[in-house]
Amino acid sequence: MRNSKLEMFRISHFAFALLLTCCTPATTRPPFAPVPEALHAVINAAPADVTQAAQTILTADSVPVGFMNLQDAFLETKEFAGTHRLRLWADPDVPGKARVTIEAVYRPFEDPSRTPRDLERAAPPGSPGQLRAEQLLAALKDKLGVTTY
């Protein structure tokens, strides 16, 4: 009887440790939501595949990717065309599809007393950032397909 309790104790600790390592709430996505002006589409691919395809498209277009995480399906470019930056979030939709959000922002000025996100503004229509976001979304639609609900 004593051995069975000890064995159950070991198994429960092992299960707890396994659960803890598999379900970590840590993410590399930023703690903020995309700007309301961000572009949206449902792309016919898994979130990680959309993120990888976006990285390939941006690199081919000479837009430097600063950060990408396939597990979190998030991508962020370095600044380009002055102070413009793109961010892509790909969230699961139905199996094999992803809800994609592409944000184009720019930073009109620097202020070390404020956080970088506080200084970002949605890229205006016709700006290099907004045009690049539209091109990226169009390229993803062409390459992977799009679903309209």
Side-chain angles (χ1 to χ4, degrees), residues 48 69-74:
N69 186 302
L70 294 177
Q71 183 177 352
D72 288 339
F74 177 75

Short mmCIF file of all heavy atoms in Angstrom, two decimals, residues 48 69-74:
data_model
loop_
_atom_site.label_atom_id
_atom_site.label_comp_id
_atom_site.label_asym_id
_atom_site.label_seq_id
_atom_site.Cartn_x
_atom_site.Cartn_y
_atom_site.Cartn_z
N ALA A 48 1.16 29.13 -39.08
CA ALA A 48 2.62 29.08 -39.23
C ALA A 48 3.03 29.16 -40.70
O ALA A 48 4.03 29.81 -41.03
CB ALA A 48 3.17 27.81 -38.60
N ASN A 69 8.17 34.42 -35.29
CA ASN A 69 8.01 33.21 -34.48
C ASN A 69 6.88 32.40 -35.11
O ASN A 69 5.73 32.84 -35.12
CB ASN A 69 7.69 33.57 -33.03
CG ASN A 69 7.65 32.35 -32.14
OD1 ASN A 69 6.90 31.41 -32.38
ND2 ASN A 69 8.48 32.36 -31.12
N LEU A 70 7.23 31.23 -35.63
CA LEU A 70 6.23 30.39 -36.29
C LEU A 70 5.22 29.81 -35.31
O LEU A 70 4.05 29.66 -35.64
CB LEU A 70 6.91 29.27 -37.08
CG LEU A 70 7.76 29.73 -38.26
CD1 LEU A 70 8.44 28.53 -38.91
CD2 LEU A 70 6.92 30.49 -39.27
N GLN A 71 5.67 29.47 -34.11
CA GLN A 71 4.76 28.89 -33.12
C GLN A 71 3.67 29.89 -32.72
O GLN A 71 2.52 29.54 -32.58
CB GLN A 71 5.52 28.45 -31.88
CG GLN A 71 4.66 27.78 -30.85
CD GLN A 71 5.46 27.27 -29.66
OE1 GLN A 71 6.67 27.28 -29.66
NE2 GLN A 71 4.75 26.84 -28.64
N ASP A 72 4.06 31.15 -32.55
CA ASP A 72 3.09 32.19 -32.20
C ASP A 72 2.45 32.83 -33.43
O ASP A 72 1.55 33.66 -33.29
CB ASP A 72 3.76 33.28 -31.36
CG ASP A 72 4.08 32.81 -29.96
OD1 ASP A 72 3.47 31.83 -29.50
OD2 ASP A 72 4.96 33.43 -29.33
N ALA A 73 2.92 32.47 -34.63
CA ALA A 73 2.41 33.00 -35.89
C ALA A 73 2.40 34.52 -35.87
O ALA A 73 1.39 35.18 -36.09
CB ALA A 73 1.03 32.44 -36.20
N PHE A 74 3.58 35.08 -35.59
CA PHE A 74 3.74 36.53 -35.52
C PHE A 74 5.01 36.92 -36.25
O PHE A 74 6.02 36.22 -36.18
CB PHE A 74 3.82 36.99 -34.05
CG PHE A 74 4.06 38.46 -33.90
CD1 PHE A 74 3.05 39.36 -34.13
CD2 PHE A 74 5.32 38.93 -33.56
CE1 PHE A 74 3.28 40.72 -34.00
CE2 PHE A 74 5.55 40.29 -33.43
CZ PHE A 74 4.53 41.19 -33.65
#
